[in-house]
Amino acid sequence: MTDTDLFLLALATGAASWLLRAIPLALLRRPLRSPRLVAFIRTLPYAILAAMIVPDGFSATADPALPAAVSATGASAGLAAALALALLGRSLPTVALGGVLTAWALQTLLA
């Protein structure tokens, strides 16, 4: 990939990000009255984040030096800890760090 391709890719990503933020502001001139639509808009970022993170959570801890059961157990425990912290209303960095530390600690103990 050339420097020009990378520049165009960064430009397109920035434009897409800007459009996703600008279009709702331009189209929604008055407050939303539908409680369902408001709830959908408020929970959409969490759903997208979960869809991006959860599948990788099961394979991110794969270590060739560890048995597969240990890696899977660590990954599952990390995801469970992250889910528990998220349900308790903790911030995103706290949730991420809690999940990572739990997976690491369990893998270290079991290995």
Side-chain angles (χ1 to χ4, degrees):
M1 189 176 280
T2 65
D3 289 341
T4 304
D5 291 340
L6 285 174
F7 177 74
L8 291 175
L9 182 63
L11 193 64
T13 303
S17 176
W18 181 80
L19 282 173
L20 286 173
R21 289 174 175 85
I23 288 174
L25 290 174
L27 295 179
L28 301 173
R29 300 258 183 227
R30 54 190 162 87
L32 295 175
R33 297 213 164 117
S34 169
R36 278 190 173 184
L37 186 57
V38 170
F40 174 76
I41 290 173
R42 284 190 178 155
T43 57
L44 190 61
Y46 300 108
I48 292 170
L49 186 63
M52 291 186 321
I53 290 175
V54 170
D56 287 335
F58 289 107
S59 61
T61 59
D63 185 358
L66 295 175
V70 172
S71 289
T73 303
S76 298
L79 284 172
L83 179 62
L85 289 169
L87 289 174
L88 290 172
R90 302 295 185 240
S91 67
L92 184 58
T94 304
V95 170
L97 189 61
V100 168
L101 288 177
T102 302
W104 173 79
L106 190 60
Q107 285 184 347
T108 303
L109 290 172
L110 293 177

